[in-house]
C-alpha cells in the first residue's frame, strides 16, 4: 500500500510507512505545505470493532492530521461503510471499504485535492466537529481508565481478603 501511495502521491508528498506507535500505518506530508499531513490506517481483517475506530480517531487527534483515511479492504466499517466499493467522508475522516486500488486512489485524490484547496485558502481548521472529536476521545479514554481502576480495585480487594486482611465495609476505594 505504501508503494502504491508513493506511486500516485510521491510527487506532492513525502510518504512515511515506517512502523510507529500511535501514528497510523502510512503518513503523508505535503512538500510545499508541511502542516498539511495525512494519516492512513489500513485494515485487512475479518471484522472491525469500535476499538479500531477509536484508535484511529485517537491517532488522528494526537498527530493533528489534516485528513485521516481509514481503509478496510476485507470487511465493512461498522456504522460508516456497509457496502464494498463505497466510502464516507465525515469530519476530515475518509472511510473506504474497497479492495480495488483504482477506486481507492481516485477517492483519495478527490478528497486530498478538495482539502488542499481549503488549506491553501487558510480556512479555519478548528471546527466544532474537531472539538467534538477531542472531547469524545478524552471521554472514551477516561472511561477506559475508570474501568481499569475498578478492575484493579476488585483484584486488590480479592487479594487482601485471601491473605486475611479485614476490609472496612468489604471494599477499598482507589
Amino acid at each position: 500500500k505504501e508503494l502504491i501511495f508513493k506511486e500516485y502521491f510521491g510527487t506532492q508528498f513525502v510518504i512515511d510507512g515506517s512502523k510507529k506507535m500511535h501514528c497510523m500505518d502510512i503518513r503523508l506530508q505535503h512538500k510545499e505545505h508541511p502542516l498539511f499531513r495525512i494519516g492512513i490506517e489500513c485494515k485487512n481483517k475479518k471484522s472491525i470493532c469500535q476499538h479500531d475506530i477509536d484508535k484511529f480517531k485517537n491517532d488522528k487527534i494526537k498527530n493533528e492530521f489534516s485528513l485521516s483515511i481509514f481503509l478496510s479492504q476485507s470487511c465493512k466499517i461498522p456504522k460508516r461503510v456497509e457496502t464494498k466499493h463505497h466510502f464516507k467522508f465525515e469530519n476530515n475522516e475518509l472511510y473506504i471499504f474497497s479492495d480495488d486500488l483504482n477506486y481507492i486512489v481516485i477517492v483519495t485524490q478527490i478528497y486530498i485535492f478538495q482539502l488542499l484547496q481549503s488549506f491553501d485558502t487558510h480556512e479555519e481548521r478548528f471546527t466544532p466537529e474537531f472539538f467534538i472529536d477531542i472531547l469524545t476521545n478524552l471521554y472514551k479514554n477516561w472511561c477506559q481508565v475508570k474501568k481499569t481502576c475498578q478492575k484493579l480495585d476488585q483484584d486488590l480487594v480479592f487479594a487482601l481478603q485471601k491473605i486475611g486482611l479485614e476490609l472496612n465495609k468489604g471494599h477499598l476505594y482507589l
Side-chain angles (χ1 to χ4, degrees):
K1 294 171 196 118
E2 180 183 352
L3 292 173
I4 291 166
F5 281 100
K6 279 185 180 179
E7 181 180 332
Y8 287 97
F9 302 102
T11 57
Q12 286 183 299
F13 292 89
V14 175
I15 298 167
D16 180 10
S18 61
K19 296 290 179 191
K20 291 183 180 179
M21 293 294 289
H22 311 291
C23 206
M24 297 207 192
D25 296 322
I26 302 171
R27 291 150 316 276
L28 288 72
Q29 184 171 4
H30 199 274
K31 291 179 179 178
E32 294 177 21
H33 304 285
L35 295 177
F36 187 80
R37 298 169 353 122
I38 300 169
I40 303 169
E41 186 68 27
C42 303
K43 296 291 183 191
N44 191 12
K45 57 187 202 176
K46 291 182 181 179
S47 67
I48 292 173
C49 61
Q50 187 59 43
H51 176 73
D52 295 324
I53 303 293
D54 291 343
K55 182 186 174 305
F56 168 72
K57 287 181 171 283
N58 193 26
D59 291 350
K60 168 194 155 188
I61 292 167
K62 283 185 178 178
N63 295 283
E64 299 179 16
F65 290 119
S66 304
L67 172 66
S68 299
I69 301 171
F70 190 98
L71 173 59
S72 174
Q73 292 182 284
S74 53
C75 68
K76 64 182 181 176
I77 304 169
K79 299 179 185 175
R80 286 172 178 82
V81 185
E82 303 286 330
T83 310
K84 197 168 195 169
H85 308 305
H86 282 81
F87 67 92
K88 183 175 183 182
F89 184 74
E90 62 181 36
N91 195 19
N92 289 358
E93 299 166 354
L94 178 58
Y95 296 90
I96 304 173
F97 172 28
S98 180
D99 57 1
D100 181 345
L101 295 176
N102 291 323
Y103 180 82
I104 293 167
V105 168
I106 290 168
V107 170
T108 304
Q109 282 180 330
I110 290 169
Y111 279 97
I112 288 175
F113 179 74
Q114 178 187 8
L115 286 174
L116 195 54
Q117 280 186 327
S118 68
F119 195 82
D120 282 337
T121 60
H122 305 293
E123 286 183 12
E124 184 64 39
R125 286 182 60 208
F126 301 110
T127 62
E129 292 83 9
F130 175 79
F131 290 110
I132 289 170
D133 272 354
I134 288 175
L135 293 173
T136 302
N137 184 57
L138 289 172
Y139 176 74
K140 286 183 178 185
N141 288 342
W142 168 241
C143 288
Q144 286 179 324
V145 168
K146 278 190 342 187
K147 190 175 181 179
T148 301
C149 287
Q150 288 171 339
K151 174 73 173 120
L152 177 62
D153 191 53
Q154 291 171 351
D155 291 348
L156 283 171
V157 167
F158 178 78
L160 292 173
Q161 287 174 338
K162 285 294 181 188
I163 62 172
L165 185 65
E166 281 199 36
L167 303 173
N168 186 17
K169 299 182 184 177
H171 61 274
L172 292 174
Y173 291 100
L174 295 177

